[in-house]
Amino acid sequence: MRIVTRALIVVGSVLAAAAVQAHHAFATEFDAGKPVALRGKVTKVELINPHSWIHIEVVGEDGTATVWMIEGGSPNALVRRGITRDSIPVGAELIVNGYQARDGTNRAVGRDLLFADGRPLFFEGTRVSE
Amino acid sequence: MKHSMTRLHRSSIAGAVACVLAAAATLPAAAQTSPTGPLTAWGDPDIAGVYALYTTAPLERPEQFGEREFLTDDEFAEIERRRLEPREFNFESDTEPGTAGDVHYNLDQFALGANEGVNSPNRRTSIVTMPANGRIPAALPQAAARREAATARTRGRQFDGPEFRSLTERCIVWSQTLPPLLPGGYNSNLQIFQSPGYVLIQGEMGDPRVIPTDGRALPENLLPQWNGTSVGHWEGDTLVVETAGFRPENAWRGSSDQLRVTERFTRVDEDTIEYAFTVVDPETWAEPWGGVFPITEMDSVLFEYACTEGNYGMANILSGERAREREAAAGQ
Amino acid sequence: MRISTAGFVLVAAVFCGACASDEADGDTVEFPRAAGGQPDLSGVWQAINTAHWNLEPHVPGYPVLLDLGAQFAVPPGPGVVDGGEIPYLPEARAERDRRFANRLTEDPEGKCYLGGVPRSTYMPYPFQILQNEDDILIVYQFATGTRRLFVDGTDPAPLDSWMGWSNAHWEGDTLVVEVTGFNGQTWLDRAGNYASAGAKVTERYTPLGPDHLQYEATIEDASVYSRPWTIRMPLYRIVDEDFRLLEFKCEPFAEEKVYGHLRKPGTEFPEEVRSQ
């Protein structure tokens, strides 16, 4: 039973419940009381460890542009599924729902990352099969 | 094809000898057995590859199984049915908004959820098989005393600076990459790379262990290392690795610097290695304990895991705490 | 690995079937060979030079912190660059000089960041090459860096990384390694010499003798240099009996440097951790 990770074979989530073993406690870095909903164009993509960071430029109602850093996960499993540095083009518009950094700076953990048309980032649609 | 004999490697000599003897009369059972499975070009058992550590069995045996090590056929069939059930990526948040549990990226978004869809089938009721009840023995009192002393040393200072934060936050070591290797949350994958006289074992988020396989003993006076020091040798088809000399700050599962781990890697079929381990630490557990589980080969390579280089998180945690302190001071 | 050089010569004489000799071909170098006939680069190696201080020729220099005195002064070195100087574009040379002036804060080595390629080769620490019939893996003592060399590999780098993505092939007795996919954040030495993320590094490992390799690295980066340029140096086999790389996880030693400015006001670096 060779596991071919190019195909996206995902199995039952009931098993050996993979507890979220976070690199760190996100609640110490981000504030559950500061939810954010952001929309902006990608300026930089850091698919890095221990966490990816996607930079988006958010234009406020008054026209001023602010760059937000959005925290995500390790990219190592994405690499196994064929994701490359070109998978999120610079200039692509993203929608981010998440929580802002505790220190009030323009950083957030991205609870949900979507393209402007509502598709989740990295994978087309919600069903993944061979 | 044999490795050229321009270099004296005990393992290549042993391989040559083993091949000769295997063709001759059978050896007494008590003697070192010859490997029977696939071999590397120089005659060592071939265990190389990239493996996923996830398996269906839990670490410790649920109490309802008592001392039963194996599932019944019906129980196994049910576990297999659930293991093989296709699952969709879940992009809908199922945690309560505004709670600490919701403050996290979506694992599925980064394909890190559900063990990346890789779970080795497992007929056992647990990973731990020794002691007979399949549960890790209770820790000795000195282990609790060590933990309490460590906590007391840093009480109230955990956010002063980076030094007293966890080893994973500091990007020093992930305990899931230390021996014994146990399945963890994500990136719980392993590379085994072989060359004559050496086996390299590296967890995806961990450091490389370059293990000589010439059967040398562990030196008496080991320099403590985060990953300990490992030595190995071959027994038939099995790579046996002994590791000791861990730094006391590791405190893997509350253990001390006396921790010694024995690992056994045996290929059981073309995609599967059986991984068995024994843990000994007389300063933490009154008896040795250990377990066994299969690890499954992945058709993949492990990408670089440069942790401290990208550790924005540490700076963010500290600056977040500084902001909270300022707010608290301003509020008074 | 338990052999001394004398033992090697004896073994070679007794067992040598496929090893190179200088009987028929006077140019063939005596060096361990793998089953396929190519050199077996396995072993522990180290550069012995001042390239890690400065690839270009350099006189002795002051330590970056004066209190460190002569112990950490920069020793002199003849340089390892073919032609002497790195052919920077004018604005790139200015950037190199700016980095030199700011090396205390900006050199990634001080932060325990991976050395990248080629810097990892000539950092003053040993590294171990593991070679089998398919691939090669190199483990560097500094910051436990590793890189996999995909022999006859052609895949491009999926993502940028610190150690780059290495595709290798043999040209006669030379292992040629083409490295791309850098993230542009590594330096080439402690003097501020650098390449960008667009760099391509081509390494060449060639046996010189049983315990010596010649290492060359050609760096191409049109955004930084006016032409490709090459460094060259010997690598020396570590022949100490039973030598093993030790673990040099430098992360704790860089913490005060990297995060000290975020320390809780009124507290100091806890000296008790120094003894750990």
Side-chain angles (χ1 to χ4, degrees):
Chain A
M1 192 203 71
R2 172 67 59 92
I3 307 300
V4 179
T5 56
R6 289 275 159 188
L8 294 154
I9 304 165
V10 189
V11 299
S13 61
V14 297
L15 300 161
V20 171
Q21 185 184 79
H23 161 242
H24 56 265
F26 277 75
T28 61
E29 189 179 352
F30 302 100
D31 193 338
K34 290 189 178 131
V36 291
L38 304 168
R39 191 180 185 110
K41 290 199 158 76
V42 174
T43 58
K44 184 174 174 185
V45 177
E46 292 184 272
L47 292 177
I48 63 173
N49 285 301
H51 297 287
S52 294
W53 291 87
I54 300 169
H55 305 234
I56 60 172
E57 188 176 76
V58 179
V59 179
E61 285 168 5
D62 57 358
T64 55
T66 321
V67 174
W68 281 75
M69 284 176 70
I70 310 299
E71 182 162 15
S74 163
N76 286 33
L78 296 177
V79 168
R80 284 191 269 285
R81 280 154 181 78
I83 299 295
T84 68
R85 71 189 96 162
D86 302 318
S87 297
I88 313 178
V90 169
E93 191 169 20
L94 298 187
I95 299 168
V96 175
N97 299 308
Y99 294 91
Q100 188 174 9
R102 262 174 124 199
D103 64 4
T105 56
N106 295 335
R107 276 193 311 270
V109 60
R111 186 65 191 85
D112 305 295
L113 304 173
L114 309 164
F115 286 110
D117 61 6
R119 286 175 300 130
L121 219 60
F122 298 122
F123 302 108
E124 299 277 345
T126 57
R127 173 147 182 99
V128 181
S129 58
E130 287 222 59
Chain B
M1 208 155 68
K2 283 285 180 304
H3 190 81
S4 164
M5 293 301 282
T6 53
R7 295 171 74 219
L8 257 177
H9 284 287
R10 280 203 212 159
S11 58
S12 50
I13 289 177
V17 170
C19 286
V20 169
L21 290 179
T26 54
L27 296 166
Q32 289 289 335
T33 55
S34 313
T36 59
L39 301 177
T40 64
W42 59 93
D44 285 336
D46 188 345
I47 58 169
V50 174
Y51 299 89
L53 266 63
Y54 307 103
T55 187
T56 52
L59 175 64
E60 293 187 276
R61 189 173 303 150
E63 290 191 357
Q64 70 261 25
F65 291 110
E67 300 216 336
R68 182 151 65 89
E69 185 176 343
F70 290 96
L71 300 166
T72 64
D73 286 345
D74 285 349
E75 287 165 341
F76 179 64
E78 174 59 16
I79 299 263
E80 280 295 279
R81 186 192 67 73
R82 285 188 283 161
R83 181 177 74 85
L84 296 168
E85 199 167 47
R87 174 186 170 280
E88 300 180 1
F89 282 125
N90 180 12
F91 296 114
E92 300 294 318
S93 169
D94 52 8
T95 43
E96 184 70 24
T99 64
D102 203 41
V103 182
H104 201 276
Y105 61 88
N106 185 331
L107 284 171
D108 272 348
Q109 188 130 58
F110 287 82
L112 296 171
N115 304 341
E116 296 187 51
V118 181
N119 260 316
S120 301
N122 195 334
R123 285 191 173 270
R124 285 190 166 84
T125 53
S126 58
I127 288 175
V128 174
T129 53
M130 176 178 72
N133 67 357
R135 305 185 70 79
I136 300 172
L140 294 167
Q142 51 265 49
R146 281 195 307 270
R147 185 176 311 124
E148 176 50 36
T151 306
R153 270 198 300 273
T154 63
R155 187 166 287 131
R157 299 203 281 165
Q158 290 92 349
F159 285 96
D160 284 7
E163 305 80 17
F164 300 134
R165 305 216 52 78
S166 75
L167 296 179
T168 53
E169 275 185 21
R170 299 168 70 193
C171 281
I172 293 175
V173 71
W174 283 81
S175 62
Q176 72 186 64
T177 65
L178 299 174
L181 302 161
L182 298 176
Y186 62 77
N187 282 345
S188 201
N189 306 307
L190 178 75
Q191 171 172 260
I192 300 178
F193 186 94
Q194 294 178 260
S195 83
Y198 291 92
V199 176
L200 178 144
I201 297 175
Q202 181 166 10
E204 181 156 26
M205 301 195 290
D207 303 303
R209 286 192 281 154
V210 180
I211 305 169
T213 54
D214 58 4
R216 69 184 72 176
L218 275 174
E220 283 303 314
N221 47 344
L222 286 168
L223 291 174
Q225 302 193 132
W226 295 100
N227 289 272
T229 298
S230 297
V231 293
H233 65 277
W234 293 99
E235 288 179 6
D237 287 299
T238 300
L239 174 69
V240 182
V241 181
E242 309 276 350
T243 308
F246 293 97
R247 292 181 63 126
E249 304 96 309
N250 261 342
W252 179 85
R253 296 195 168 260
S255 62
S256 75
D257 59 3
Q258 299 304 301
L259 178 68
R260 288 178 82 99
V261 180
T262 304
E263 301 164 279
R264 305 177 72 93
F265 299 81
T266 311
R267 179 175 290 287
V268 294
D269 65 41
E270 68 171 1
D271 300 316
T272 315
I273 298 261
E274 182 183 83
Y275 176 75
F277 64 92
T278 308
V279 170
V280 175
D281 184 353
E283 292 299 322
T284 306
W285 298 287
E287 53 184 318
W289 61 277
V292 56
F293 64 101
I295 64 178
T296 300
E297 189 158 0
M298 300 166 75
D299 189 11
S300 183
V301 292
L302 296 189
F303 192 70
E304 177 182 281
Y305 195 87
C307 188
T308 196
E309 290 80 353
N311 198 6
Y312 290 107
M314 175 63 79
N316 296 343
I317 288 168
L318 294 175
S319 71
E321 187 67 13
R322 300 291 87 84
R324 196 195 59 75
E325 288 161 358
R326 284 192 297 273
E327 285 160 24
Q332 284 164 355
Chain C
M1 231 183 306
R2 303 177 171 278
I3 80 173
S4 65
T5 315
F8 165 77
V9 172
L10 174 66
V11 167
V14 172
F15 286 99
C16 192
C19 79
S21 72
D22 36 25
E23 293 172 353
D25 179 356
D27 293 340
T28 308
V29 170
E30 185 176 325
F31 195 83
R33 300 247 159 215
Q38 66 272 31
D40 183 352
L41 304 180
S42 294
V44 183
W45 303 90
Q46 189 167 345
I48 307 177
N49 55 33
T50 63
H52 62 284
W53 282 108
N54 193 338
L55 293 177
E56 293 184 324
H58 52 278
V59 295
Y62 283 88
V64 66
L65 287 175
L66 293 176
D67 278 350
L68 292 173
Q71 260 185 316
F72 296 93
V74 180
V80 295
V81 178
D82 238 3
E85 276 204 333
I86 299 170
Y88 282 108
L89 295 168
E91 57 274 18
R93 177 167 282 114
E95 168 61 15
R96 187 279 308 271
D97 295 343
R98 189 202 66 75
R99 289 178 185 224
F100 178 80
N102 291 283
R103 63 197 183 286
L104 179 61
T105 52
E106 292 188 19
D107 188 344
E109 183 191 7
K111 304 178 200 178
C112 187
Y113 293 175
L114 290 168
V117 178
R119 186 180 192 177
S120 296
T121 307
Y122 46 83
M123 291 180 93
Y125 313 111
F127 58 90
Q128 184 158 4
I129 300 179
L130 301 166
Q131 179 172 331
N132 62 36
E133 69 277 14
D134 293 321
D135 280 337
I136 297 170
L137 205 146
I138 308 183
V139 180
Y140 300 92
Q141 182 164 289
F142 184 77
T144 62
T146 58
R147 37 186 298 230
R148 184 148 185 169
L149 312 186
F150 299 101
V151 178
D152 297 329
T154 53
D155 288 344
L159 295 178
D160 293 341
S161 63
W162 287 80
M163 300 301 282
W165 186 264
S166 297
N167 288 324
H169 65 277
W170 290 96
E171 290 177 8
D173 274 0
T174 296
L175 181 72
V176 181
V177 190
E178 293 170 2
V179 197
T180 56
F182 295 108
N183 61 19
Q185 296 182 61
T186 54
W187 284 19
L188 297 175
D189 58 26
R190 291 173 178 168
N193 288 306
Y194 75 102
S196 80
K200 177 178 173 182
V201 177
T202 304
E203 301 174 293
R204 288 182 161 80
Y205 299 80
T206 309
L208 290 176
D211 296 325
H212 299 85
L213 291 173
Q214 174 169 274
Y215 177 76
E216 294 169 290
T218 300
I219 306 181
E220 303 168 56
D221 192 340
S223 69
V224 182
Y225 321 112
S226 59
R227 58 168 174 79
W229 54 283
T230 300
I231 59 172
R232 183 175 302 107
M233 65 189 74
L235 297 175
Y236 298 84
R237 187 191 295 277
I238 303 295
V239 298
D240 303 38
E241 195 169 329
D242 290 344
F243 185 86
R244 299 186 63 167
L245 292 187
L246 294 177
E247 186 186 82
F248 188 14
K249 289 182 66 63
C250 43
E251 292 90 344
F253 314 129
E255 280 178 332
E256 181 63 16
K257 174 190 183 68
V258 176
Y259 306 112
H261 64 289
L262 295 168
R263 183 169 297 287
K264 181 172 182 176
T267 66
E268 287 179 352
F269 174 75
E271 287 295 333
E272 70 254 40
V273 307
R274 242 192 235 274
S275 59
Q276 288 172 354

